[in-house]
């Protein structure tokens, strides 16, 4: 696609530094999905019901916060741009809150609940204040849909490095300490520092090339109305929410499944999560290669990859617990297939924003970015709540967590296998209705640029 004067070619260095921002964001995602559930129940000694309720309550706050942050970011006017300043302003609060969640002070049962709720809410809010503008920044870096996908083809392997960091190093580093409380406290302080530095690197090494469009200002209610009328954005949001339910269930339940069903040590869990993280790094590279070479189109890849992952996940349900290495192979294979869509989904955030501008003449990139992040965290909340509530339903008690009763074992299979497989089939069904393929995206972008050009000419009396 032809580059415009507003969007010169982006260097590899800038693409790499933009991707490091997602490495920071996925430290939060990785720690939440892999370790937060079992940390809250087995280390901090929260009841599963309290944990599940916390995840749900945090998402109700996000329901208001994420779109409003997107709205404010859209309206930000600064020499540094619309979205980049937010990375500078909130990098430090994000890192501090990430460390605080895992600090684990000595408190009463009520005090632990209050502390968990306050610190997790602070983390969720600071995460939104960084990541909503970060997601929207992609659309301000380039107007080229194909280039956005290539940026994401670099971004997502870097994002998955966070999962590799979490799965490979965090358990080993925690094990160096005399007890888990001290281990989590020390390791997460380091993680908080790293998260802040990565956000700042992204801020100092990226550039907003696409200026705000000169379109009439509209109110918040009108922007929400345009967001809800953007059918392709809603499809994207729904798919992302279900994807995150699946990921949170699968990765959140992996620790329980390995510990109680496979009856393997923490080192095996670390190996399994590390291998899955490597698959997550490889998957975006595979997606970029397949699309560049024309081996498959975007929408078929979206649908078929989820169906393949669902079938592999179901196969785990019929694999004996004694076959631990086949379990590892199936887990990694299912992760690889499921992750093939990540590049396309997140690049499509800017595409559906262009689509909305073409239909309504209004740019709400920040609100759409906020909607995508809200969908992500809704999926994490629902998945996390399901982990807590299903464990409670089967009578799981964290105070007696050295062994599971026979009647509790089905809970781990439901969370780790059957519900994730259902989510994958549902994601494939939702994405069948997504229409912004390669040609449609190019047409929408060119028409949106034409509309912008006419509006600018009229504004200047040309």
């Amino acid at each position: 696609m032809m580059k415009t004067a507003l969007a010169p070619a982006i260097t590899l260095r800038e693409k790499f530094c933009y991707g490091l921002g997602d490495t920071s964001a996925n430290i939060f995602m990785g720690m939440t999905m892999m370790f937060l559930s079992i940390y809250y129940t087995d280390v901090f000694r929260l009841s599963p019901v309290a944990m599940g309720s916390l995840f749900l309550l945090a998402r109700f706050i996000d329901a208001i916060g994420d779109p409003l942050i997107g709205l404010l970011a859209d309206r930000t006017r600064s020499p540094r741009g619309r979205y980049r300043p937010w990375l500078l302003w909130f990098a430090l609060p994000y890192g501090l809150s990430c460390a605080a969640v895992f600090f684990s002070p000595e408190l009463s049962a009520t005090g632990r609940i209050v502390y968990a709720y306050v610190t997790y809410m602070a983390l969720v809010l600071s995460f939104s204040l960084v990541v909503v503008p970060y997601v929207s920044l992609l659309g301000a870096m380039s107007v080229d849909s194909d280039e956005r996908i290539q940026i994401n083809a670099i971004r997502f392997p870097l994002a998955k490095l966070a999962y590799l960091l979490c799965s490979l190093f965090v358990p080993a580093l925690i094990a160096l300490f005399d007890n888990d409380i001290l281990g989590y406290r020390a390791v997460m302080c380091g993680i908080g520092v790293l998260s802040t530095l990565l956000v700042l690197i992204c801020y100092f090494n990226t550039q907003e090339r696409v200026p705000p469009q000169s379109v009439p200002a509209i109110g918040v209610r009108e922007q929400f109305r345009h967001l809800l009328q953007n059918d392709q954005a809603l499809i994207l949001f729904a798919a992302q929410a279900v994807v995150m339910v699946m990921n949170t269930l699968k990765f959140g339940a992996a620790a329980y499944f390995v510990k109680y069903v496979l009856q393997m040590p923490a080192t095996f869990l670390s190996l399994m999560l590390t291998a899955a993280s490597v698959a997550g790094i490889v998957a975006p590279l595979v997606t970029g290669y397949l699309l560049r070479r024309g081996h498959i189109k975007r929408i078929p890849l979206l649908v078929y990859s989820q169906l393949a992952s669902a079938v592999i996940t179901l196969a785990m349900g019929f694999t004996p617990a004694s076959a631990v290495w086949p379990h590892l192979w199936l887990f990694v294979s299912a992760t690889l297939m499921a992750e093939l869509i990540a590049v396309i989904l997140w690049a499509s955030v800017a595409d559906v924003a262009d689509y909305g501008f073409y239909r309504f003449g209004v740019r709400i990139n920040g609100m759409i970015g906020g909607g995508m992040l809200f969908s992500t965290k809704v999926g994490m909340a629902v998945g996390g709540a399901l982990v807590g509530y299903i464990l409670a339903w089967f009578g799981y008690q964290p105070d007696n967590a050295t062994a599971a009763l026979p009647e509790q074992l089905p809970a781990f299979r439901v969370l780790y296998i059957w519900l994730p497989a259902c989510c994958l089939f549902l994601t494939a069904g939702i994405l069948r209705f997504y229409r912004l393929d390669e040609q449609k995206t190019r047409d929408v972008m060119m028409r949106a640029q034409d509309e912008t050009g006419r509006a600018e000419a009229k504004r200047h009396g040309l």
Side-chain angles (χ1 to χ4, degrees), residues 283 304-306 308-309 312 332-341:
Y304 295 142
S305 63
Q306 301 308 286
S309 183
I312 296 170
V332 173
S333 299
T335 300
L336 175 65
M337 296 305 300
E339 288 289 339
L340 291 177
I341 71 170

Side-chain angles (χ1 to χ4, degrees), residues 35 165-177 183 187 266-267 270:
F35 301 110
L165 172 70
C166 293
S167 62
L168 183 59
F169 295 110
V170 169
L173 290 173
I174 291 173
L176 295 177
F177 293 83
V187 172
T267 52
S270 179

Side-chain angles (χ1 to χ4, degrees), residues 94-146:
Y94 168 55
L96 290 174
S97 61
C98 188
V101 165
F102 292 91
F103 197 70
S104 192
E106 287 289 339
L107 297 169
S108 65
T110 301
R112 289 197 301 271
I113 292 174
V114 172
Y115 182 86
Y117 274 58
V118 171
T119 54
Y120 185 71
M121 298 287 186
L123 174 58
V124 166
L125 177 60
S126 61
F127 178 81
S128 295
L129 289 167
V130 169
V131 178
V132 171
Y134 172 81
V135 171
S136 305
L137 175 60
L138 179 62
M141 290 174 63
S142 174
V143 295
D144 187 334
S145 176
D146 292 331

Side-chain angles (χ1 to χ4, degrees), residues 20-21 23-25 27-28 31 87 90-103 123 126 130 165 170 184-202:
L20 290 179
T23 305
S24 178
I27 288 175
F28 162 78
M31 292 307 302
L87 307 185
F90 296 104
L92 183 58
Y94 168 55
L96 290 174
S97 61
C98 188
V101 165
F102 292 91
F103 197 70
L123 174 58
S126 61
V130 169
L165 172 70
V170 169
Y184 274 105
R185 186 177 295 171
V187 172
M188 291 308 146
C189 284
I191 290 291
V193 172
L194 179 60
S195 299
T196 297
L197 290 177
L198 292 174
V199 172
L200 292 176
I201 290 172
C202 177

Side-chain angles (χ1 to χ4, degrees), residues 16-314:
F16 181 85
C17 290
Y18 177 74
L20 290 179
D22 214 11
T23 305
S24 178
N26 276 272
I27 288 175
F28 162 78
M29 307 285 278
M31 292 307 302
T32 299
M33 286 192 294
M34 293 181 187
F35 301 110
L36 190 56
S37 293
I38 201 164
Y39 165 79
Y40 271 151
T41 59
D42 289 22
V43 177
F44 201 46
R45 300 299 181 185
L46 284 185
S47 72
V49 172
M51 178 188 69
S53 299
L54 167 59
F55 292 149
L56 283 181
L57 180 60
R59 296 296 84 83
F60 281 115
I61 295 175
D62 279 340
I64 300 173
D66 284 356
L68 287 181
I69 292 169
L71 173 66
L72 292 173
D74 283 335
R75 296 187 175 190
T76 299
R77 296 296 181 267
S78 163
R80 301 184 183 95
R82 287 168 288 169
Y83 308 116
R84 288 177 61 248
W86 293 74
L87 307 185
L88 178 64
W89 297 336
F90 296 104
L92 183 58
Y94 168 55
L96 290 174
S97 61
C98 188
V101 165
F102 292 91
F103 197 70
S104 192
E106 287 289 339
L107 297 169
S108 65
T110 301
R112 289 197 301 271
I113 292 174
V114 172
Y115 182 86
Y117 274 58
V118 171
T119 54
Y120 185 71
M121 298 287 186
L123 174 58
V124 166
L125 177 60
S126 61
F127 178 81
S128 295
L129 289 167
V130 169
V131 178
V132 171
Y134 172 81
V135 171
S136 305
L137 175 60
L138 179 62
M141 290 174 63
S142 174
V143 295
D144 187 334
S145 176
D146 292 331
E147 187 169 46
R148 291 168 187 161
I149 287 183
Q150 295 310 314
I151 292 172
N152 277 350
I154 295 175
R155 165 191 170 190
F156 274 90
L158 292 172
K160 298 305 177 182
L161 280 176
Y163 290 87
L164 185 61
L165 172 70
C166 293
S167 62
L168 183 59
F169 295 110
V170 169
L173 290 173
I174 291 173
L176 295 177
F177 293 83
D178 292 336
N179 60 70
D180 286 345
I181 292 176
L182 290 176
Y184 274 105
R185 186 177 295 171
V187 172
M188 291 308 146
C189 284
I191 290 291
V193 172
L194 179 60
S195 299
T196 297
L197 290 177
L198 292 174
V199 172
L200 292 176
I201 290 172
C202 177
Y203 164 76
F204 283 110
N205 292 278
T206 54
Q207 178 183 350
E208 294 189 26
R209 293 168 176 78
V210 184
Q213 303 296 338
S214 298
V215 295
I218 61 174
V220 176
R221 181 179 298 179
E222 191 73 5
Q223 291 200 38
F224 271 105
R225 184 173 68 84
H226 287 307
L227 178 64
L228 295 176
Q229 289 177 336
N230 190 325
D231 58 310
Q232 297 304 291
L234 297 181
I235 291 171
L236 203 65
F237 297 163
Q240 177 65 9
V242 178
V243 165
M244 293 311 299
V245 172
M246 182 274 299
N247 278 331
T248 305
L249 288 169
K250 182 172 71 173
F251 284 99
Y256 299 101
F257 190 83
V258 169
K259 183 176 181 180
Y260 299 121
V261 178
L262 301 184
Q263 298 183 4
M264 295 294 289
T267 52
F268 183 82
L269 173 65
S270 179
L271 173 63
M272 191 170 77
L273 294 178
T274 299
S277 299
V278 172
I281 294 171
V282 172
L285 303 176
V286 173
T287 299
Y289 174 82
L290 293 175
L291 294 177
R292 279 196 311 272
R293 293 302 182 96
H295 294 311
I296 191 171
K297 297 296 184 181
R298 293 182 193 176
I299 295 178
L301 180 59
L302 290 173
V303 175
Y304 295 142
S305 63
Q306 301 308 286
L307 292 176
S309 183
V311 171
I312 296 170
T313 301
L314 288 177

